[in-house]
Coordinates of all heavy atoms in Angstrom, one line a residue:
A31 N 30.1 40.7 205.3 CA 31.0 40.3 206.4 C 30.8 38.9 206.8 O 31.7 38.1 207.0 CB 30.8 41.2 207.6
G32 N 29.5 38.5 206.8 CA 29.2 37.1 207.2 C 29.7 36.0 206.2 O 29.9 34.9 206.6
A33 N 29.9 36.4 205.0 CA 30.5 35.4 204.0 C 31.8 35.0 204.4 O 32.2 33.8 204.1 CB 30.5 36.0 202.6
R34 N 32.6 35.8 205.1 CA 34.0 35.5 205.5 C 34.1 35.0 206.9 O 35.0 34.3 207.3 CB 34.9 36.7 205.3 CG 35.0 37.2 203.9 CD 35.9 38.4 203.8 NE 35.3 39.6 204.4 CZ 35.8 40.2 205.4 NH1 36.9 39.8 206.0 NH2 35.2 41.3 205.9
F35 N 33.1 35.3 207.7 CA 33.1 35.0 209.2 C 31.9 34.0 209.5 O 31.2 33.7 208.6 CB 33.1 36.2 210.0 CG 34.3 37.1 209.8 CD1 34.1 38.4 209.2 CD2 35.6 36.7 210.1 CE1 35.1 39.2 208.9 CE2 36.6 37.6 209.8 CZ 36.4 38.8 209.3
R36 N 31.8 33.6 210.7 CA 30.8 32.6 211.1 C 29.7 33.1 212.0 O 28.9 32.3 212.5 CB 31.5 31.4 211.7 CG 32.7 30.9 211.0 CD 32.4 30.4 209.6 NE 31.5 29.3 209.5 CZ 31.0 28.8 208.4 NH1 31.5 29.2 207.2 NH2 30.2 27.8 208.4
F37 N 29.6 34.4 212.2 CA 28.6 34.9 213.2 C 27.1 34.5 212.7 O 26.3 34.3 213.6 CB 28.7 36.3 213.5 CG 28.5 37.3 212.3 CD1 27.2 37.7 212.0 CD2 29.6 37.8 211.6 CE1 27.0 38.6 211.0 CE2 29.4 38.6 210.5 CZ 28.1 39.1 210.2
A38 N 26.9 34.6 211.4 CA 25.5 34.2 211.0 C 25.2 32.8 211.2 O 24.1 32.4 211.6 CB 25.4 34.6 209.5
D39 N 26.2 31.9 211.0 CA 26.0 30.5 211.2 C 25.8 30.2 212.7 O 24.9 29.4 213.1 CB 27.2 29.7 210.7 CG 27.6 30.0 209.3 OD1 28.2 31.1 209.1 OD2 27.3 29.2 208.4
T40 N 26.6 30.9 213.5 CA 26.5 30.7 215.0 C 25.1 31.2 215.5 O 24.5 30.5 216.3 CB 27.6 31.5 215.7 OG1 28.8 31.1 215.2 CG2 27.5 31.3 217.2
W41 N 24.6 32.3 215.0 CA 23.3 32.8 215.4 C 22.2 31.9 215.0 O 21.3 31.6 215.8 CB 23.1 34.2 214.8 CG 21.8 34.9 215.1 CD1 21.0 34.6 216.2 CD2 21.3 36.0 214.5 NE1 19.9 35.4 216.2 CE2 20.1 36.3 215.2 CE3 21.6 36.8 213.4 CZ2 19.2 37.4 214.8 CZ3 20.8 37.9 213.1 CH2 19.6 38.2 213.7
A42 N 22.2 31.4 213.8 CA 21.2 30.5 213.3 C 21.2 29.2 214.2 O 20.1 28.6 214.4 CB 21.4 30.2 211.9
R43 N 22.3 28.7 214.6 CA 22.4 27.5 215.5 C 21.8 27.9 216.9 O 21.1 27.0 217.5 CB 23.8 27.0 215.6 CG 24.2 26.2 214.3 CD 25.5 25.4 214.6 NE 26.6 26.3 215.0 CZ 27.5 26.8 214.2 NH1 27.4 26.6 212.9 NH2 28.5 27.5 214.6
A44 N 22.1 29.1 217.3 CA 21.7 29.5 218.7 C 20.2 29.7 218.7 O 19.5 29.5 219.7 CB 22.4 30.7 219.2
E45 N 19.6 30.3 217.6 CA 18.2 30.6 217.6 C 17.6 30.1 216.3 O 17.3 30.8 215.3 CB 18.0 32.1 217.7 CG 18.4 32.7 219.0 CD 18.1 34.2 219.2 OE1 17.7 34.8 218.2 OE2 18.3 34.7 220.3
P46 N 17.4 28.8 216.2 CA 17.1 28.2 214.9 C 15.7 28.5 214.4 O 15.4 28.3 213.2 CB 17.2 26.7 215.2 CG 17.0 26.6 216.7 CD 17.6 27.8 217.2
R47 N 14.8 29.1 215.2 CA 13.5 29.5 214.7 C 13.4 31.0 214.5 O 12.3 31.5 214.3 CB 12.4 29.0 215.7 CG 12.2 27.5 215.6 CD 11.1 27.0 216.4 NE 11.4 27.0 217.8 CZ 12.1 26.0 218.4 NH1 12.4 24.9 217.7 NH2 12.4 26.1 219.7
S48 N 14.5 31.7 214.6 CA 14.5 33.2 214.5 C 14.4 33.6 213.0 O 15.3 33.2 212.2 CB 15.8 33.8 215.1 OG 15.9 35.2 214.7
A49 N 13.4 34.3 212.6 CA 13.3 34.7 211.2 C 14.4 35.6 210.8 O 14.9 35.5 209.7 CB 11.9 35.5 211.0
D50 N 14.9 36.5 211.7 CA 16.0 37.4 211.4 C 17.3 36.5 211.2 O 18.1 36.8 210.2 CB 16.2 38.4 212.5 CG 15.1 39.4 212.5 OD1 14.4 39.6 211.5 OD2 15.0 40.1 213.6
A51 N 17.5 35.6 212.1 CA 18.8 34.8 211.9 C 18.7 34.0 210.6 O 19.8 33.9 209.9 CB 18.9 33.8 213.1
L52 N 17.6 33.4 210.3 CA 17.5 32.6 209.1 C 17.6 33.5 207.8 O 18.2 33.1 206.8 CB 16.2 31.9 209.0 CG 16.1 30.7 210.0 CD1 14.7 30.2 210.1 CD2 17.1 29.6 209.7
A53 N 17.0 34.7 207.9 CA 17.1 35.7 206.7 C 18.6 36.0 206.5 O 19.1 36.1 205.4 CB 16.3 36.9 207.0
L54 N 19.3 36.3 207.6 CA 20.7 36.7 207.4 C 21.5 35.5 206.9 O 22.4 35.6 206.0 CB 21.3 37.1 208.7 CG 22.8 37.5 208.7 CD1 23.1 38.5 207.6 CD2 23.3 37.9 210.1
L55 N 21.3 34.3 207.4 CA 22.0 33.1 207.0 C 21.7 32.8 205.5 O 22.6 32.4 204.7 CB 21.6 31.9 207.8 CG 22.4 30.6 207.5 CD1 23.9 30.8 207.7 CD2 21.9 29.4 208.3

Side-chain angles (χ1 to χ4, degrees):
R34 296 180 291 118
F35 302 111
R36 309 302 299 180
F37 63 86
D39 308 77
T40 304
W41 181 15
R43 285 195 299 269
E45 297 185 352
R47 286 185 287 274
S48 166
D50 289 344
L52 290 169
L54 178 56
L55 186 60

